[in-house]
């Protein structure tokens, strides 16, 4: 059953954390000329309108991108993320928010490959339409082609299943983003099993997982389970914007778990996370957790940063 539509949540605090980290990982890969693959197992629609449709219903962007929009004191790496979003809003008004495929398209280079999976028929179509529009715009500006030239391949398929065939990538360099809806609690298990399989096929890949921090047991145990995977290193960061409400309604906290993170990520997060807590925090419960460790070590090797 596919009921989840990311448009309802576009630009919220969880998207800010996810896309900020995603952009840092891609920029790290950009430091070498060798091509890489960006694989998005759960792509969503690619671009979201904030001023109408689903996104305006609960206006979740007010917990994320909106409070950052006019800030003039952004840490440098966060300013780059904001620059990407402002460039897709040339009127200066906050109208569009990028999904992970759009962020990847903007940050990656001509030689890199984007492999995008989305199972929901409507979102898979919107994603393909959005990339056609992005390409038409890029061509009009004299920029590189995207969909044409096979740089970007969009497939309506199960991302968990499809990942296997792509690993290891030809260049032995890749970022895999795994960002399922988690409405079905089996998603937690599927993420872990998918990563276990992926690490066998491609042990040195960079894998980034987003997840909601919720009361349900699968969520509470999730990071500890991922720490036991046999990656060489991992980094885990969570952002909490408010104290959970007694009825458990609303998303107050989310996390990113990265296997084989670049060494540059931890110092950047150490600078940016306190800033996000200050600007996005809604009450005294706002906080972040940042920890790193070596994979495959049960309950040991964790370093809180
Ligand atoms: N990664 C996107 C972003 O950051 O912009 C958001 C993705 S959203 C959280 C999760 C998406 O996964 C939804 O669009 C949903 O339709 C899709 N989906 C659910 N199950 C899937 C599966 N097994 N394979 C691929 N996509 C799936």
């Amino acid at each position: 059953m596919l009921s989840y539509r990311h448009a309802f949540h576009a630009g919220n605090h969880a998207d800010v954390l996810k896309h900020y980290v995603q952009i840092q990982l891609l920029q790290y890969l950009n430091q070498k000329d060798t091509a890489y693959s960006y694989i998005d197992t759960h792509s969503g629609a690619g671009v979201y309108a904030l001023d109408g449709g689903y996104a305006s219903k609960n206006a979740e962007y007010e917990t994320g991108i909106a409070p950052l929009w006019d800030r003039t004191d952004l840490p440098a790496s966060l300013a780059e993320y904001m620059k990407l979003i402002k460039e897709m809003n040339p009127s200066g008004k906050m109208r569009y928010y990028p999904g992970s495929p759009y962020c990847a398209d903007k940050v990656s280079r001509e030689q890199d490959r984007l492999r995008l999976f989305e199972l929901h028929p409507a979102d898979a179509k919107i994603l393909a339409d959005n990339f056609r529009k992005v390409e038409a715009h890029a061509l009009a500006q004299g920029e590189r082609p995207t969909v044409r030239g096979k740089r970007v391949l969009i497939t309506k398929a199960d991302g968990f299943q499809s990942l296997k065939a792509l690993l290891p990538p030809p260049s032995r360099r890749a970022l895999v983003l795994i960002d399922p809806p988690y409405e079905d609690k089996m998603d937690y298990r599927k993420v872990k099993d998918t990563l276990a399989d992926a690490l066998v096929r491609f042990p040195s890949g960079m894998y980034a997982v987003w997840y909601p921090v919720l009361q349900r047991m699968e969520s509470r145990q999730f990071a500890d389970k991922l720490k036991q995977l046999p990656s060489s290193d991992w980094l885990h960061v969570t952002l909490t914007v408010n104290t959970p409400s007694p009825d458990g309604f609303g998303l107050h906290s989310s996390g990113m778990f990265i296997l084989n993170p670049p060494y540059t990520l931890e110092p950047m997060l150490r600078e940016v996370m306190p800033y996000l807590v200050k600007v996005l925090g809604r009450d005294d419960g706002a906080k972040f957790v940042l920890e790193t460790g070596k994979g495959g070590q049960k309950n040991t090797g964790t370093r809180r940063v």
Side-chain angles (χ1 to χ4, degrees), residues 132-146:
R132 270 190 283 277
K133 283 184 210 153
V134 167
E135 171 159 83
H137 180 74
L139 287 174
Q141 307 284 313
E143 289 173 14
R144 67 176 180 219
T146 55

Side-chain angles (χ1 to χ4, degrees), residues 173-211:
R173 303 184 76 217
L175 169 63
V176 179
L177 177 66
I178 306 185
D179 180 23
Y182 299 96
E183 286 189 334
D184 178 350
K185 63 184 181 188
M186 282 306 289
D187 275 350
Y188 296 92
R189 175 77 182 274
K190 285 186 189 171
V191 170
K192 184 176 169 254
D193 291 350
T194 299
L195 286 170
D197 178 80
L199 282 168
V200 173
R201 292 170 194 270
F202 182 38
S204 61
M206 211 188 276
Y207 301 92
V209 174
W210 178 87
Y211 75 100

Side-chain angles (χ1 to χ4, degrees), residues 231-249:
S231 64
S232 62
D233 295 289
W234 53 259
L235 181 149
H236 178 218
V237 59
T238 64
L239 172 64
T240 302
V241 295
N242 57 264
T243 311
S245 61
D247 58 7
F249 188 75

